[in-house]
Amino acid sequence: MRTACLALAALLLTACGGNAPPPPETAPAAKVTVIKGGTIYTGNPDQPTVEAVIVGADGRITATVPPASADWSDDEVTLIDLKGGVMFPGFTDAHVHLLGVGQRELTLNLEGTASVAELVSRVEAEVADKEPGSVVFGRGWIETGWPEARMPMASDLDPVSADYKVILQRSDGHAMVVNSATLAAVGITKDTPDPEGGRIERNEDGTPNGLLIDNAMNLVAPLVAAPDTEGLKTALETGAKLYASRGWTGGHNMSVAPEQIPLMEELDKAGRLPIRLYNALDAEGFDIAAGRQMETDTITNRAVKIYMDGALGSRGALLIEPYSDRPDTSGLALMNPEDLAAIMARADAANVQLAIHAIGDLADRRILEAVEAGGYDASHRWRIEHAQNFALADIPRVGADGLVASMQPSHAIGDLFFAPSRLGMDRLAGAYAWRSLWDSGAVVAGGSDAPVEVGSPLIEFYAAVSRKSLKGESAEGWHPEQALTREEALALFTSNAAYAAFEEDDLGTIEPGKLADFTVFDRDLMTVPEAEILQAKPLMTMVGGEVVWRALN
């Protein structure tokens, strides 16, 4: 019809003695992308599955089939055949430390160490080719399940590392073990007082035993060289590429130092950050978050991360009552109520989202009290990061106060090996209470806390629906009734994660108008037996309609 109109116009101009203009040049239309050939879960309960997804050149979903009809020819579109794979809305890790993920890959990675003896052997092997006097830094050990049933100490490391300074951080980042050479190098002695918000663990005679908890770790910071600019960029890129290969399309990146922000912007513009990042900066980066500075189409700087307490494993989580296995302590307060109220008021005025680390029941209660006292509502979408232990009476307050419970399912299936001894059986009823929080009306977003945990969407999904160890184990006090359905587990890492970042209009479900972020696995997580979830493999990761990672055939 358009061609006929143009021809008629040219004929009329010629008849009137005019010269017909040349026909306008029409740029070739950009091809749309069609994804089909497998099971596609939308995350939308009104239409749980579709046969195909159509993506425009702008990286947004234009239609799904159905309701649209499959009336294209293959030469008109870019076709992606899932070949039987199973596609989901892009999985987002709602709590990750991206720099730490990259650094774990680039330094001494102690993940999976099975005993004190193995830890010592790995240190011995690591120092074998080091110059005497050098610093050896590693991260990732966790004593859960070790046959020695205790944390490592300097006395374990000293026989193989007397000529080196050894600093080994626990996987949760809230404790470390150092050898005697390190203690001597920084002057930690029997007379060194515990710093505020930290604890130097000691032998019976009062001498330091090598374990440093929370802020006490800062005492050895002078020995650990800060990475230079290139080192930071390498670690960030390494972490992002690893995450894309695991099926993550994005991450809520926690505890980001201000100096990392321009580096992320640079990397993204160079095409070296394949996933979306929603950054929660350290308190020193408050102004960056308030001004939404240095953002890109895949990087958002809107939140600030603060800390109420430490971790349960190292007895730094702040509890209402003392620890069952250490009645002399109730944990560590890393922020007092007055300072919490002050930063809440500042964040409210600046429209900054707060992501507040809280693990113990008293830490969680203090957040609830501060939110209620300040009259803050759900529009802030302030988040409790970890939200691991609540007094039962406090659980309904989370949803009522409009707080997001940002939780990591894998913490439960690891911590529940030692949580009964830390908390006692009675307090476990409010621990890792995904179901209770969900049913009370709270939005529960799912993450991994990598490098504290592995950082696998499959492990996190499995933990949420099974509430069992990776070997299928359960035990007294694990509260299996707190497990989620598979639909709820999917929401943790898709629609709920999007809500937690103010991104529900763009991400979280497969619907027209939303960004084409997709995760593809080789089997159906919604139907396979629980144990088989852990055997699944990622096949493809798409961000904004572009394939950023694909498994080798």
Side-chain angles (χ1 to χ4, degrees), residues 192-410:
T192 304
D194 290 345
E196 183 178 356
R199 186 169 65 246
I200 301 168
E201 296 284 12
R202 305 172 190 272
N203 298 310
E204 290 185 4
D205 63 359
T207 57
N209 67 11
L211 281 167
L212 305 175
I213 310 301
D214 286 310
N215 287 349
M217 297 187 294
N218 296 334
L219 299 174
V220 303
L223 297 181
V224 183
D228 59 17
T229 296
E230 287 306 312
L232 287 171
K233 290 196 290 188
T234 298
L236 289 166
E237 182 179 9
T238 299
K241 288 182 174 178
L242 176 68
Y243 252 44
S245 74
R246 289 179 173 168
W248 297 111
T249 60
H252 299 176
N253 190 21
M254 295 289 142
S255 307
V256 179
E259 60 267 22
Q260 295 178 35
I261 297 300
L263 303 183
M264 291 182 201
E265 181 186 31
E266 177 186 340
L267 288 169
D268 185 46
K269 290 180 176 178
R272 294 168 59 186
L273 282 183
I275 63 173
R276 295 188 193 278
L277 293 176
Y278 183 85
N279 290 318
L281 288 98
D282 287 338
E284 293 79 7
F286 190 99
D287 289 342
I288 294 175
R292 306 289 296 273
Q293 298 171 21
M294 291 174 277
E295 294 187 341
T296 71
D297 60 342
T298 56
I299 296 176
T300 301
N301 302 317
R302 175 172 191 159
V304 167
K305 171 80 177 298
I306 58 176
Y307 289 82
M308 293 299 294
D309 64 350
L312 187 68
S314 52
R315 300 183 185 85
L318 187 63
L319 303 181
I320 297 169
E321 299 294 337
Y323 278 81
S324 296
D325 57 355
R326 278 279 300 273
D328 61 315
T329 183
S330 297
L332 298 169
L334 302 186
M335 178 173 286
N336 63 45
E338 293 75 22
D339 289 340
L340 177 62
I343 198 167
M344 282 185 171
R346 185 184 179 196
D348 176 51
N351 193 28
V352 165
Q353 185 186 37
L354 290 179
I356 311 173
H357 168 113
I359 289 180
D361 53 10
L362 181 54
D364 285 316
R365 176 172 287 179
R366 287 181 174 177
I367 295 171
L368 298 170
E369 291 172 343
V371 167
E372 292 163 4
Y376 305 116
D377 59 25
S379 66
H380 295 74
R381 302 193 194 181
W382 288 347
R383 304 160 50 134
I384 303 181
E385 302 298 328
H386 309 307
Q388 283 186 9
N389 301 280
F390 285 93
L392 291 179
D394 289 340
I395 288 177
R397 299 168 70 185
V398 178
D401 290 347
L403 292 162
V404 174
S406 173
M407 306 179 76
Q408 300 76 50
S410 60

Side-chain angles (χ1 to χ4, degrees), residues 25-316:
E25 292 186 9
T26 304
K31 278 190 173 182
V32 300
T33 299
V34 174
I35 307 167
K36 65 173 189 175
T39 303
I40 300 175
Y41 285 96
T42 67
N44 178 6
D46 294 332
Q47 188 178 21
T49 61
V50 293
E51 298 174 11
V53 178
I54 304 170
V55 179
D58 62 352
R60 290 186 179 269
I61 301 165
T62 60
T64 60
V65 180
S69 59
D71 59 357
W72 59 81
S73 62
D74 289 352
D75 60 348
E76 294 175 329
V77 301
T78 298
L79 183 64
I80 295 180
D81 187 350
L82 296 174
K83 298 180 179 178
V86 183
M87 190 169 91
F88 299 90
F91 274 56
T92 295
D93 187 334
H95 187 114
V96 60
H97 302 270
L98 187 67
L99 181 69
V101 171
Q103 289 174 332
R104 181 177 63 184
E105 299 301 306
L106 299 169
T107 58
L108 176 59
N109 184 354
L110 299 172
E111 184 181 58
T113 302
S115 63
V116 172
E118 183 180 339
L119 183 73
V120 171
S121 295
R122 296 186 69 174
V123 170
E124 184 176 24
E126 183 71 13
V127 303
D129 58 354
K130 303 285 186 184
E131 290 292 327
S134 60
V135 176
V136 176
F137 180 82
R139 176 171 180 165
W141 63 269
I142 184 167
E143 78 287 354
T144 301
W146 284 5
E148 296 90 350
R150 63 172 176 84
M151 290 186 178
M153 295 184 289
S155 57
D156 299 308
L157 303 176
D158 289 346
V160 300
S161 64
D163 296 328
Y164 308 88
K165 303 174 187 71
V166 177
I167 303 170
L168 308 178
Q169 196 167 42
R170 193 174 186 265
S171 65
D172 62 8
H174 289 271
M176 62 173 48
V177 61
V178 303
N179 66 350
S180 295
T182 300
L183 294 171
V186 297
I188 298 176
T189 69
K190 181 178 182 179
D191 298 322
T192 304
D194 290 345
E196 183 178 356
R199 186 169 65 246
I200 301 168
E201 296 284 12
R202 305 172 190 272
N203 298 310
E204 290 185 4
D205 63 359
T207 57
N209 67 11
L211 281 167
L212 305 175
I213 310 301
D214 286 310
N215 287 349
M217 297 187 294
N218 296 334
L219 299 174
V220 303
L223 297 181
V224 183
D228 59 17
T229 296
E230 287 306 312
L232 287 171
K233 290 196 290 188
T234 298
L236 289 166
E237 182 179 9
T238 299
K241 288 182 174 178
L242 176 68
Y243 252 44
S245 74
R246 289 179 173 168
W248 297 111
T249 60
H252 299 176
N253 190 21
M254 295 289 142
S255 307
V256 179
E259 60 267 22
Q260 295 178 35
I261 297 300
L263 303 183
M264 291 182 201
E265 181 186 31
E266 177 186 340
L267 288 169
D268 185 46
K269 290 180 176 178
R272 294 168 59 186
L273 282 183
I275 63 173
R276 295 188 193 278
L277 293 176
Y278 183 85
N279 290 318
L281 288 98
D282 287 338
E284 293 79 7
F286 190 99
D287 289 342
I288 294 175
R292 306 289 296 273
Q293 298 171 21
M294 291 174 277
E295 294 187 341
T296 71
D297 60 342
T298 56
I299 296 176
T300 301
N301 302 317
R302 175 172 191 159
V304 167
K305 171 80 177 298
I306 58 176
Y307 289 82
M308 293 299 294
D309 64 350
L312 187 68
S314 52
R315 300 183 185 85

Side-chain angles (χ1 to χ4, degrees), residues 448-463:
S448 75
D449 201 14
V452 175
E453 302 288 350
V454 173
S456 161
L458 297 166
I459 290 176
E460 299 303 330
F461 188 92
Y462 163 84

